[in-house]
Amino acid sequence: MKKKLSLVMLSAIMLFTLSACGGNAATNSGNQSSNAAGSQTGTDETAATEELKPEEGAELRLWTFITDLKPFTDYALKEFEQKYNIKVTVEDVGYWDSIKRLSTDGPAGVGADVFGLQTPDVANAVQSGLVLPNDYFEEDTKSINKPDTIAAATHDGILYGYPWNVYTFSLYYNKDLVKDAKLETWDDIIAFSKKFNDVKNNKFGFLYEPKTSAFDVAFMTGYGGYIFGNNETDVNDIGINNEGSVKGMQFIQSLHEIIPLELADVTNNLKEGLWAQGKLAINMDGSWAIGEHNKQPFPVGVLPMPKLPGGENAMPLAGSTGYYVSSYSKYPNAAKLLAHFITTKEMQIKNNELTGALPAANISGTEQGIRNDELTQGFLKQIASSHRFPGLYETKYVWPALDAAIADVWKGGDPKAALDKAAEKLKTDIANQK
């Protein structure tokens, strides 16, 4: 279960390269029927759902990440089927697999009508002609959700998605192991780890996955680094080798002292296995795992990303998940109703109640229905102090370049030289796609 959960974050890292297939799908007859059913966007949710009529005999297929989300999926689909008398079949398809599968299953007529995507995959899906715009419920969607989640679900000024939840990562800690240790800064965490570590017996004060560069970006942005300029929207301004990014990489290199393992050996399986055994005190993990960590046999707390030596607080990447309507759907009206229904503010709050997922909607930590446990409240604060995940098509070129830099630096290579090389590779890859 945990291995699969970790893929949620990896999907925000590993963008699938997909040739522009099915480019005409977005203009198919299904889209035309949707526009005919109602071209005006309703701001009143009840009125809108009454006006948009599902196609006669509609049956839908939903692709979603079921693990640990099943309680919500079961609840939401039961409510939807009762309201609209539309049968929905659910398939367990990870967000990271949706584009690759839909590119073949869509034309074959066996793909999803509604499926999940995360921030980095939206541009790819749109440019490949796989999704229909969120036109009918556009105003309602924009009115309830955080601006960054709307931006993540938008491409070239057109809203496609129905935002559902947000995610970032921070530091879970085992209270029994940490006890009263001071952990206000990264210097504190390093000092604690040096005392706690017993490498021969697989005991570690702190672990994360340095080979997964999306985690490493938190340390780069904490010093003023960035991936793309203008709040991660300008591909002509690459910041992965600026002064702040280099400082962040130097700090990452220093962490090797308290994580004295080969890069390939620091896996999620290792980290989560030691965590479950009570041999890991501080675990960098995502908000998607709140529900599971609340079930641990030991008391778990969450630390906000601490202050870096000589810098600001580390700033992890934050992204969002949304649902999208397939351009190949035979029932686009019914599919839009489903995507909207399961992502309303009320349903997002219900999802938090049932699974711990953080809503994309504009809510406060005191909103009625939102969990009041320490982990949920801690991550709501961390989301507010995170760095926006770039949603550009070109983001897929970032991770191979940064992964290579991390591998070099972990072996003792020069951080600036490694990042200069990564920046040049990123620029070349982006230029060669045009």
Side-chain angles (χ1 to χ4, degrees):
M1 178 186 300
K2 191 62 186 175
K3 180 179 180 181
K4 201 165 187 179
L5 274 171
S6 70
L7 292 174
V8 177
M9 187 63 192
L10 292 181
S11 72
I13 303 160
M14 301 166 60
L15 299 179
F16 293 101
T17 303
L18 184 65
S19 60
C21 59
N24 295 327
T27 59
N28 65 12
S29 59
N31 195 21
Q32 293 170 1
S33 67
S34 168
N35 292 335
S39 59
Q40 294 184 349
T41 303
T43 56
D44 180 81
E45 180 181 327
T46 302
T49 54
E50 289 176 354
E51 292 172 12
L52 184 61
K53 302 297 183 183
E55 297 83 357
E56 186 175 351
E59 294 186 2
L60 300 174
R61 181 181 288 110
L62 171 68
W63 284 353
T64 189
F65 180 62
I66 293 177
T67 304
D68 273 16
L69 297 179
K70 191 176 186 300
F72 170 76
T73 304
D74 289 347
Y75 170 83
L77 295 187
K78 180 180 178 181
E79 294 291 311
F80 178 78
E81 291 179 7
Q82 287 180 347
K83 182 171 184 177
Y84 294 105
N85 194 30
I86 297 174
K87 179 176 175 56
V88 182
T89 300
V90 183
E91 293 184 16
D92 190 0
V93 178
Y95 312 128
W96 50 91
D97 285 334
S98 293
I99 292 179
K100 185 177 181 180
R101 282 195 55 174
L102 194 62
S103 65
T104 55
D105 290 3
V110 294
D113 298 279
V114 177
F115 60 97
L117 288 176
Q118 292 186 310
T119 299
D121 298 313
V122 175
N124 195 357
V126 173
Q127 292 187 353
S128 300
L130 301 179
V131 292
L132 297 180
N134 176 358
D135 48 10
Y136 196 82
F137 295 105
E138 178 180 8
E139 291 305 317
D140 184 64
T141 300
K142 289 181 176 179
S143 71
I144 69 169
N145 291 301
K146 296 180 177 71
D148 275 358
T149 69
I150 295 298
T154 299
H155 185 71
D156 284 344
I158 299 174
L159 178 66
Y160 288 89
Y162 303 72
W164 186 47
N165 63 40
V166 291
Y167 57 86
T168 189
F169 54 93
S170 198
L171 304 179
Y172 294 93
Y173 66 97
N174 182 325
K175 293 183 178 182
D176 287 343
L177 299 182
V178 168
K179 297 181 180 178
D180 58 353
K182 180 184 176 184
L183 300 173
E184 297 177 0
T185 68
W186 278 101
D187 283 336
D188 292 336
I189 290 176
I190 291 170
F192 168 81
S193 296
K194 287 180 178 179
K195 293 180 180 178
F196 184 89
N197 278 5
D198 182 356
V199 178
K200 290 183 179 179
N201 290 304
N202 287 321
K203 290 182 62 178
F204 294 88
F206 166 71
L207 284 178
Y208 83 115
E209 296 175 82
K211 66 178 181 178
T212 301
S213 52
F215 290 106
D216 296 296
V217 172
F219 304 114
M220 298 162 67
T221 55
Y223 282 109
Y226 56 88
I227 297 173
F228 298 123
N230 193 22
N231 195 24
E232 302 299 343
T233 63
D234 184 1
V235 297
N236 296 311
D237 180 4
I238 291 174
I240 62 172
N241 65 330
N242 72 0
E243 182 180 355
S245 293
V246 172
K247 285 184 178 180
M249 190 64 77
Q250 290 170 340
F251 176 75
I252 292 165
Q253 191 172 55
S254 74
L255 291 177
H256 198 181
E257 182 180 4
I258 60 170
I259 309 176
L261 301 171
E262 295 296 323
L263 192 67
D265 294 334
V266 192
T267 64
N268 186 69
N269 283 345
L270 171 70
K271 179 171 69 74
E272 296 307 320
L274 296 178
W275 174 252
Q277 296 170 40
K279 293 185 175 182
L280 172 60
I282 304 169
N283 177 7
M284 184 186 286
D285 202 359
S287 57
W288 55 85
I290 287 174
E292 182 161 340
H293 288 307
N294 265 325
K295 299 175 185 176
Q296 296 291 348
F298 46 83
V300 178
V302 64
L303 296 170
M305 281 290 190
K307 187 177 180 64
L308 291 159
E312 302 299 326
N313 289 52
M315 294 185 67
L317 293 174
S320 62
T321 301
Y323 283 104
Y324 293 76
V325 174
S326 168
S327 57
Y328 294 100
S329 176
K330 295 178 182 178
Y331 309 109
N333 288 2
K336 290 179 181 181
L337 286 170
L338 174 60
H340 175 258
F341 185 86
I342 62 179
T343 59
T344 61
K345 182 177 180 179
E346 293 73 21
M347 281 295 177
Q348 291 186 41
I349 291 174
K350 190 67 176 180
N351 184 30
N352 173 259
E353 174 192 332
L354 294 175
T355 72
L358 303 179
N362 285 306
I363 62 165
S364 68
T366 59
E367 189 97 18
Q368 185 175 1
I370 293 296
R371 289 186 179 197
N372 195 36
D373 63 84
E374 180 179 347
L375 301 188
T376 297
Q377 293 299 316
F379 269 99
L380 286 173
K381 293 177 182 177
Q382 185 63 71
I383 283 285
S385 301
S386 300
H387 188 83
R388 179 180 175 182
F389 208 110
L392 302 173
Y393 182 80
E394 291 81 1
T395 306
K396 67 180 182 178
Y397 301 120
V398 172
W399 314 119
L402 277 181
D403 287 348
I406 294 294
D408 184 15
V409 169
W410 201 254
K411 293 178 181 177
D414 178 65
K416 186 177 188 310
L419 287 178
D420 284 343
K421 185 177 179 179
E424 285 305 312
K425 175 174 172 52
L426 179 54
K427 291 175 184 178
T428 299
D429 288 344
I430 290 173
N432 288 343
Q433 76 171 349
K434 298 176 181 179

